[in-house]
């Protein structure tokens, strides 16, 4: 006779047996363990837990989004707040100007620009679901000023130790975005540092550049210089040299610098430096020289692209090497001056 108690044992035995041959064929049973099965609801939750997030029904996803809103916000900017969706590698992004409306249909058809922003689904115009990116924000967040400077300095040291490839890839990505008429919002906490994979991940791109012709300018050096919080005197020039080295590497590659939606004007922003203890006139003159060298290298690159016979690649390389060498001298000079 099968009693209620033995019936549960029998059910557990069936699931244990099914698991021995079914995991590869039935993903719903892949993570089912007889040892943690229990009657009723928990069994069904165990099985549902292995269903991929985006394979779930709309109402189930919306319920998870509502639960995410009850958790601690993991990031926010001027326009939106972001929450981690519990149990999944996705985030909920909601507008800060209105209550999120989950009534519209879930839209899983993302444009190329949406995918570039790491979105996987949308609900209406104020709710987005994005990929969760492992790493640390490039700007440390804390209420304590003392803790901020200590933690930010420690983080910035690790940022400077990142390989040149991380700087190259970051500049290339925001360049790719500009080709798609997307501008990187570098004002804010919009860079994730993925130390495990040795890369920087920009996470907030606006769709389109300002319509004012004077504002349709793309400055990749400024985007990176201002997108991080490396302002300490002992680190800022080393960080700047890393940016220029990454930019020179991009110039030397076969990457196409032509843009349709904006005007390319790479340059150094002197205001991004902490130079309170440095000679201002000398610094301004040196920045002017570097900006001229940057412009010269980019001009050489674009001329070679349009007419490689008239302007050969070795001439481009010479301009880039000159920029790299002068940057190294600039950095050494001002690091030494700061030590005095």
């Amino acid at each position: 006779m099968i009693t209620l108690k033995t019936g549960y044992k029998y059910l557990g035995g069936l699931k244990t047996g099914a698991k021995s041959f079914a995991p590869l064929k039935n993903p719903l049973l892949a993570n089912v363990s007889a040892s943690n099965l229990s009657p009723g609801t928990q069994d069904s939750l165990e099985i549902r837990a292995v269903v991929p997030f985006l394979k779930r029904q709309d109402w189930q996803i919306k319920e998870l989004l509502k639960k995410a809103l009850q958790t601690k916000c993991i990031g926010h900017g001027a326009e939106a707040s972001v929450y981690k969706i519990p149990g999944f590698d996705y985030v909920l992004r909601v507008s800060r100007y209105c209550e999120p409306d989950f009534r519209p249909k879930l839209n899983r058809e993302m444009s190329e620009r949406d995918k570039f922003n790491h979105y996987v689904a949308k609900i209406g115009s104020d709710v987005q679901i994005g990929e969760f990116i492992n790493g640390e924000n490039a700007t440390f967040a804390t209420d304590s000023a003392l803790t901020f400077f200590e933690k930010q300095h420690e983080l910035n040291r690790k940022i400077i130790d990142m390989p040149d490839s991380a700087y190259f890839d970051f500049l290339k990505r925001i360049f790719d975005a500009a080709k798609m008429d997307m501008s990187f919002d570098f004002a804010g906490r919009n860079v994730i540092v993925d130390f495990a994979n040795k890369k920087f991940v920009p996470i907030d791109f606006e769709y389109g550049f300002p319509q004012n012709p004077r504002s349709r300018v793309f400055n990749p050096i400024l985007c990176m210089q201002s997108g991080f919080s490396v302002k300490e005197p002992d680190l800022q020039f080393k960080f700047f040299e890393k940016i220029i080295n990454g930019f020179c590497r991009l110039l030397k590659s076969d990457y196409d610098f032509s843009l349709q939606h904006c005007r390319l004007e790479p340059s150094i922003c002197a205001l991004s430096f902490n130079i309170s203890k440095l000679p201002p006139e000398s610094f301004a003159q040196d920045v002017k020289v570097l900006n001229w060298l940057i412009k010269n290298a980019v001009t050489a690159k674009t001329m070679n692209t349009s007419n490689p016979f008239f302007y050969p690649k070795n001439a481009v390389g010479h301009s880039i090497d000159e920029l790299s060498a002068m940057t190294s001298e600039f950095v050494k000079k001002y690091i030494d001056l700061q030590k005095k």
Side-chain angles (χ1 to χ4, degrees):
M1 178 178 179
I2 299 178
T3 64
L4 185 62
K5 182 176 181 180
T6 58
Y8 284 131
K9 290 183 178 179
Y10 178 67
L11 178 62
L14 283 177
K15 290 186 176 180
T16 303
K19 187 185 175 186
S20 66
F21 66 86
L24 295 178
K25 296 182 180 180
N26 187 348
L28 293 182
L29 293 176
N31 293 334
V32 174
S33 171
S35 63
N36 54 24
L37 285 172
S38 59
T41 306
Q42 188 169 334
D43 280 349
S44 60
L45 288 176
E46 284 280 336
I47 295 175
R48 284 206 305 270
V50 300
V51 179
F53 179 78
L54 292 174
K55 297 293 184 182
R56 294 165 179 257
Q57 297 183 38
D58 286 12
W59 69 268
Q60 292 175 316
I61 291 177
K62 291 178 180 180
E63 286 301 313
L64 288 168
L65 298 184
K66 292 174 183 177
K67 290 181 179 179
L69 278 178
Q70 299 171 11
T71 64
K72 183 179 179 180
C73 175
I74 63 171
H76 60 81
E79 297 181 355
S81 297
V82 179
Y83 303 83
K84 176 76 164 59
I85 299 175
F88 298 93
D89 287 333
Y90 293 98
V91 296
L92 167 65
R93 182 181 186 273
V94 295
S95 172
R96 300 186 71 182
Y97 301 114
C98 58
E99 283 292 320
D101 183 4
F102 296 111
R103 291 174 298 177
K105 183 179 179 181
L106 185 73
N107 176 17
R108 293 177 172 84
E109 297 297 323
M110 296 293 97
S111 67
E112 288 302 313
R113 296 202 299 182
D114 288 334
K115 293 176 183 177
F116 208 90
N117 253 335
H118 310 285
Y119 297 156
V120 297
K122 289 182 176 182
I123 300 176
S125 59
D126 297 314
V127 176
Q128 297 89 31
I129 302 171
E131 299 168 344
F132 175 74
I133 301 169
N134 281 309
E136 297 182 42
N137 199 283
T139 301
F140 190 80
T142 178
D143 294 331
S144 168
L146 180 61
T147 303
F148 169 79
F149 288 116
E150 291 178 349
K151 294 291 186 180
Q152 188 66 56
H153 195 64
E154 179 184 347
L155 177 60
N156 287 344
R157 285 184 180 277
K158 294 165 66 178
I159 287 172
I160 290 175
D161 286 338
M162 291 283 276
D164 289 344
S165 59
Y167 291 81
F168 166 84
D169 290 338
F170 181 94
L171 291 164
K172 182 178 179 296
R173 184 158 182 84
I174 61 176
F175 225 120
D176 288 341
K179 288 177 178 291
M180 299 171 64
D181 195 18
M182 299 176 72
S183 56
F184 175 53
D185 180 11
F186 56 81
R189 303 176 68 246
N190 292 330
V191 180
I192 300 296
V193 187
D194 183 350
F195 290 111
N197 294 302
K198 304 294 183 183
K199 64 181 181 180
F200 303 124
V201 185
I203 58 172
D204 192 353
F205 291 91
E206 299 173 347
Y207 297 162
F209 285 80
Q211 294 304 309
N212 185 335
R214 294 183 179 179
S215 302
R216 296 180 69 82
V217 174
F218 172 54
N219 185 346
I221 294 173
L222 176 62
C223 283
M224 193 165 195
Q225 200 176 358
S226 301
F228 291 74
S229 295
V230 185
K231 310 297 183 186
E232 305 94 319
D234 61 326
L235 299 180
Q236 60 181 347
F237 290 104
K238 295 177 183 178
F239 176 65
F240 169 71
E241 187 172 20
K242 285 273 196 173
I243 297 173
I244 296 300
N245 286 342
F247 187 67
C248 287
R249 186 171 173 178
L250 189 63
L251 281 165
K252 281 191 172 183
S253 71
D254 293 330
Y255 190 79
D256 182 6
F257 270 50
S258 60
L259 295 170
Q260 294 181 342
H261 307 289
C262 55
R263 185 173 69 257
L264 175 62
E265 288 189 6
S267 62
I268 305 165
C269 177
L271 295 177
S272 296
F273 289 95
N274 179 358
I275 59 170
S276 58
K277 297 182 180 180
L278 297 177
E281 293 183 3
S282 172
F283 183 80
Q285 182 60 34
D286 289 338
V287 166
K288 185 177 180 180
V289 171
L290 281 181
N291 277 334
W292 183 88
L293 290 171
I294 291 170
K295 183 179 180 179
N296 186 54
V298 172
T299 300
K301 171 76 173 181
T302 54
M303 287 177 66
N304 171 258
T305 301
S306 60
N307 195 333
F309 179 77
F310 175 76
Y311 207 93
K313 198 167 186 177
N314 64 329
V316 181
H318 176 74
S319 299
I320 297 169
D321 290 341
E322 187 178 16
L323 168 61
S324 181
M326 289 298 293
T327 299
S328 181
E329 289 184 22
F330 171 84
V331 169
K332 185 179 184 305
K333 173 181 177 180
Y334 287 101
I335 287 178
D336 289 343
L337 281 174
Q338 284 178 324
K339 294 177 180 178
K340 293 180 180 180

